[in-house]
Amino acid sequence: MVLTADAAGVPKSGWLTRAGLKQIFNHCFVTLKCVRATACVPEDNDKSRKLMQQIGLEEEARLKRAAPGEKDMLIYVLFREKCKWLSGATSVRKT
């Protein structure tokens, strides 16, 4: 599953809540049975990079000159077994 965060870093926008994260990752890891979630973030998008790290994704790779303006694209990953959004989620079904 690939994540996008177009509204990342919008001050007090409220577009992404803890409940929303639980639903997103429950759908990804439980419903779809994905083993990983991947996010692509341009290197100069500091707010999105910070968001990815705050919700638990780790930087996995750097694609040289793959973002607009010949900037690098950073690849972030979250594996199912490391997803903190699944534990304690009431809608999570055991697989």
Side-chain angles (χ1 to χ4, degrees):
M1 177 172 212
V2 177
L3 306 173
T4 61
D6 294 336
V10 177
K12 299 184 182 178
S13 66
W15 73 275
L16 188 59
T17 63
R18 291 181 187 272
L21 286 166
K22 288 179 181 181
Q23 290 178 349
I24 289 167
F25 290 114
N26 182 64
H27 183 69
C28 174
F29 295 127
V30 178
T31 305
L32 298 177
K33 299 184 185 333
C34 295
V35 296
R36 64 179 282 149
T38 304
C40 303
V41 180
E43 69 173 334
D44 60 347
N45 190 336
D46 294 331
K47 291 179 180 179
S48 287
R49 291 175 62 188
K50 182 177 179 181
L51 175 65
M52 294 300 110
Q53 293 167 358
Q54 287 176 332
I55 64 175
L57 282 82
E58 298 176 355
E59 187 176 325
E60 181 180 48
R62 176 181 291 264
L63 303 176
K64 300 286 187 183
R65 298 170 49 185
E70 294 191 31
K71 307 249 185 211
D72 291 355
M73 182 70 74
L74 303 177
I75 308 301
Y76 286 86
V77 64
L78 178 61
F79 290 100
R80 177 180 31 208
E81 61 271 14
K82 289 188 171 185
C83 184
K84 65 183 178 182
W85 302 103
L86 293 181
S87 61
T90 57
S91 61
V92 174
R93 295 182 309 249
K94 300 290 181 188
T95 56

